């Protein structure tokens, strides 16, 4: 047998961060708020004011002084995150030794966290922690995102059109972390909701049972949330609007208006910065949906019978997969999947099967689904959602069929016919708390 190089993926900080750190209580897992911000939050009133923006210097651009406040912080990772922000926005970060001014104090605290926005009253600097497990570019960029004034994407007032919160899976007492922030509190500046935002949480934050707390309305977009591989187009667009960068660039380019279409904007070099799925010098050609162009080939909507498998099957699946097989039956039919193979790790990798609730299902791992086992939906949709942290096994294969829905009255006048029972109980299922314990015993890795 060939040697298998097994890799595994660390868990995102929203699953590992402590609730409280040396600097205070964390809101929404990684944000520190000032007393005034806590008060405003409780009152749900406007906070996204200019007061929390980093001020402009003589060159007309916003400047963020920073220093390394302890010897242990990963300076290479911090500098990479800063370079990423400088590359995509007009913010300038200045390494400083002057402690007597508002600035970012990068340190290696417990976990990853930051204050939200520029806190003018912290005249000797505001803390930002890049702790163990926080050094990926996407995570450093996320914490800097808070420091420049971003809240979490899933807190947006309009989020219910895009995601569904599974309240029943949230750790007791933590429901508040999924509260929407009111329109007066955040200003999304007309930028549409972005699953691929670096500020979006993954699906498992604050989960009490290993099940999803955040499910995307289109299941194919589940793979985009919490991926955290850097600022998205809409993140940089929002930051560049918040800090007036686009107007400054247009002025420098002697442009009166912004010629960029379909969500593009004028960048530093006077050319359009175009979102994924568009092309042309003014982003004028819309080739594909913004999200579709960022998804893997694995996530798919399936409307005809056939075979569905884990990626690379029968070779090993890759690590870091989130993949949706969204099976939609024709009118008066119910989708059914019958497994011919099922082989996952114990239990870092898992398959979720949704048969009655399109946002929440049961989880399977190891070899807990015997060949020949069928699952039939009670609605016209059935969703298989596959998650991996390792690449240690071959995965699964299943046949999709559609059976008659006994409760369906088609438009044509036809007497109802008797049908065989459609719902088969799953054969074996690991207890959720056991699966939870296994999932949560994985070591955090840097
Ligand atoms: Zn955060």
């Amino acid at each position: 047998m060939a040697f298998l190089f097994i890799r595994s993926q660390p868990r995102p900080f929203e699953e590992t961060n402590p609730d409280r750190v040396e600097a205070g209580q964390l809101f929404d897992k990684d944000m520190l708020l000032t007393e005034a911000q806590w008060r405003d939050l409780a009152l749900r009133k406007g906070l996204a004011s200019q007061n929390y923006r980093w001020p402009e210097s003589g060159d007309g651009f916003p400047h963020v002084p920073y220093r390394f406040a302890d010897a242990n912080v990963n300076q290479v990772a911090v500098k990479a995150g800063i370079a990423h922000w400088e590359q995509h926005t007009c913010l300038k970060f200045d390494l400083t030794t002057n402690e007597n001014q508002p600035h970012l104090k990068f340190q290696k605290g417990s976990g990853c966290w930051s204050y939200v926005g520029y806190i003018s009253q912290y005249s000797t600097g505001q803390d930002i922690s890049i702790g163990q497990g926080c050094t990926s570019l996407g995570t450093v960029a996320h914490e800097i995102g808070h420091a420049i004034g971003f809240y979490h994407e899933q807190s947006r007032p309009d989020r219910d059109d895009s995601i569904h919160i599974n309240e029943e899976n949230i750790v007791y007492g933590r429901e508040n972390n999924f509260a929407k922030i009111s329109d007066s509190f955040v200003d999304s500046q007309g930028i549409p909701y972005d699953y691929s935002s670096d500020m979006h949480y993954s699906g498992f934050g604050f989960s009490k049972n290993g099940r999803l707390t955040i499910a995307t309305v289109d299941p194919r977009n589940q793979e985009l949330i919490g991926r955290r591989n850097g600022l998205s187009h809409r993140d940089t667009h929002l930051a560049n609007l918040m800090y007036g960068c686009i107007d400054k660039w247009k002025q420098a380019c002697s442009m009166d208006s912004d010629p960029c279409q379909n969500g593009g904007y004028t960048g530093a070099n006077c050319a359009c910065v175009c979102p994924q799925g568009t092309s042309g010098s003014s982003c004028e050609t819309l080739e594909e949906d913004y999200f579709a162009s960022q998804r893997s080939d694995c996530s798919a909507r399936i409307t005809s019978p056939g075979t569905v498998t884990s990626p690379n099957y029968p070779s090993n699946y890759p690590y870091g997969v989130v993949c949706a097989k969204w099976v939609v039956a024709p009118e008066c039919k119910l989708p059914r999947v019958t497994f011919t193979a099922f082989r996952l790790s114990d239990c870092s990798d898992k398959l979720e099967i949704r048969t009655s609730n399109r946002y929440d299902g049961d989880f399977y791992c190891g070899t807990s689904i015997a060949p020949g086992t069928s699952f039939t939906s009670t609605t016209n949709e059935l969703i298989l959602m596959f998650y991996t942290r390792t690449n240690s096994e071959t995965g699964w294969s299943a046949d999709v069929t559609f059976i008659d829905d006994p409760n369906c009255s088609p438009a044509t006048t036809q007497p109802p016919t008797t049908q065989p029972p459609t719902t088969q109980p799953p054969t074996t299922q690991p207890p959720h708390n056991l699966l939870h314990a296994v999932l949560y015993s994985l070591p955090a890795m840097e």
Side-chain angles (χ1 to χ4, degrees):
M1 174 154 176
F3 173 73
L4 288 173
F5 180 55
I6 295 176
R7 296 193 63 172
S8 64
Q9 227 196 6
R11 291 191 287 132
F13 68 77
E14 59 267 35
E15 297 175 36
T16 57
N17 256 11
D19 296 326
R20 192 181 171 80
V21 295
E22 48 272 43
Q25 181 78 26
L26 291 174
F27 170 71
D28 218 4
K29 218 66 183 171
D30 73 329
M31 289 179 272
L32 281 165
L33 302 183
T34 65
E35 261 182 57
Q37 285 175 327
W38 278 112
R39 215 163 40 235
D40 287 349
L41 190 65
L43 294 169
R44 292 269 184 270
K45 71 172 193 181
L47 181 64
S49 69
Q50 294 288 340
N51 296 339
Y52 292 100
R53 308 264 167 88
W54 290 84
E56 292 172 5
S57 291
D59 63 0
F61 288 104
H63 280 252
V64 184
Y66 74 97
R67 68 185 174 91
F68 295 106
D70 75 39
N72 299 320
V73 65
N74 186 325
Q75 297 194 11
V76 172
V78 169
K79 284 178 173 167
I82 284 174
H84 185 65
W85 268 96
E86 289 186 329
Q87 184 189 347
H88 294 287
T89 69
C90 68
L91 285 153
K92 314 227 180 272
F93 294 76
D94 307 316
L95 190 58
T96 184
T97 53
N98 176 9
E99 297 178 25
N100 294 313
Q101 61 173 334
H103 66 282
L104 297 182
K105 293 160 65 178
F106 284 98
Q107 58 204 267
K108 185 176 181 179
S110 47
C112 339
W113 44 262
S114 172
Y115 283 94
V116 182
Y118 162 79
I119 315 293
S120 58
Q121 70 262 36
Y122 290 174
S123 56
T124 58
Q126 63 189 71
D127 295 330
I128 176 169
S129 171
I130 305 300
Q132 187 169 352
C134 307
T135 54
S136 73
L137 178 70
T139 298
V140 176
H142 178 106
E143 298 310 330
I144 295 174
H146 286 315
I148 71 112
F150 278 178
Y151 281 88
H152 289 139
E153 191 76 1
Q154 74 272 7
S155 304
R156 283 175 55 144
D158 58 353
R159 63 109 187 269
D160 289 338
D161 297 333
S162 303
I163 57 170
H164 178 87
I165 305 297
N166 287 324
E167 304 278 351
E168 62 279 14
N169 296 337
I170 300 172
V171 176
Y172 180 75
R174 301 304 177 77
E175 298 83 357
N176 188 43
N177 289 290
F178 293 89
K180 280 181 284 189
I181 294 182
S182 78
D183 266 321
S184 54
F185 198 71
V186 290
D187 183 356
S188 302
Q189 311 251 5
I191 305 290
Y193 194 88
D194 190 1
Y195 294 112
S196 58
S197 169
D198 202 50
M199 305 311 291
H200 209 301
Y201 268 11
S202 66
F204 293 104
F206 298 99
S207 177
K208 67 179 179 191
N209 51 15
R211 291 174 172 233
L212 281 188
T213 50
I214 304 176
T216 59
V217 169
D218 182 331
R220 295 172 297 180
N221 289 330
Q222 190 74 35
E223 65 171 273
L224 298 179
I225 68 169
R227 201 156 59 173
R228 209 158 293 152
N229 48 12
L231 296 170
S232 71
H233 175 83
R234 290 176 182 172
D235 287 336
T236 61
H237 195 176
L238 177 57
N240 286 325
L241 285 170
M242 277 170 65
Y243 281 93
C245 303
I246 298 168
D247 284 339
K248 296 180 207 301
W249 288 327
K250 276 182 353 204
Q251 198 174 10
C253 297
S254 304
M255 296 164 74
D256 294 330
S257 62
D258 194 327
C260 313
Q261 302 170 39
N262 293 314
Y265 62 88
T266 297
N269 62 357
C270 312
C272 287
V273 180
C274 294
Q276 286 95 332
T278 68
S279 65
S281 58
S282 306
C283 329
E284 69 274 15
T285 309
L286 193 57
E287 293 179 336
E288 206 183 0
D289 175 76
Y290 176 68
F291 299 122
S293 58
Q294 298 185 65
R295 290 195 297 253
S296 68
D297 292 338
C298 183
S299 289
R301 188 170 182 270
I302 291 152
T303 55
S304 50
T307 301
V308 290
T309 69
S310 50
N312 299 348
Y313 185 84
S315 296
N316 282 27
Y317 49 76
Y319 74 100
V321 169
V322 177
C323 164
K325 300 294 186 190
W326 178 20
V327 184
V328 183
E331 199 189 353
C332 287
K333 298 282 186 183
L334 299 174
R336 169 179 285 173
V337 292
T338 305
F339 283 82
T340 53
F342 188 85
R343 193 169 183 87
L344 308 188
S345 71
D346 289 329
C347 274
S348 304
D349 310 320
K350 47 200 168 157
L351 181 69
E352 179 189 8
I353 303 179
R354 304 181 193 162
T355 54
S356 55
N357 177 339
R358 75 184 304 275
Y359 300 116
D360 193 15
D362 292 321
F363 283 78
Y364 300 87
C365 59
T367 53
S368 61
I369 298 178
T373 306
S374 288
F375 298 83
T376 305
S377 183
T378 56
T379 74
N380 73 323
E381 293 180 296
L382 184 151
I383 294 162
L384 303 178
M385 194 70 78
F386 186 43
Y387 312 86
T388 75
R389 292 199 189 286
T390 83
N391 56 354
S392 61
E393 293 289 353
T394 52
W396 48 270
S397 178
D399 294 324
V400 174
T401 52
F402 299 116
I403 64 160
D404 290 333
D405 181 353
N407 299 316
C408 182
S409 326
T412 52
T413 50
Q414 212 178 336
T417 51
T418 30
Q419 298 288 346
T422 55
T423 314
Q424 243 175 283
T427 48
T428 51
Q429 189 187 336
H432 290 125
N433 54 356
L434 175 64
L435 182 58
H436 175 69
V438 173
L439 288 170
Y440 279 63
S441 64
L442 291 171
M445 292 168 64
E446 192 147 6

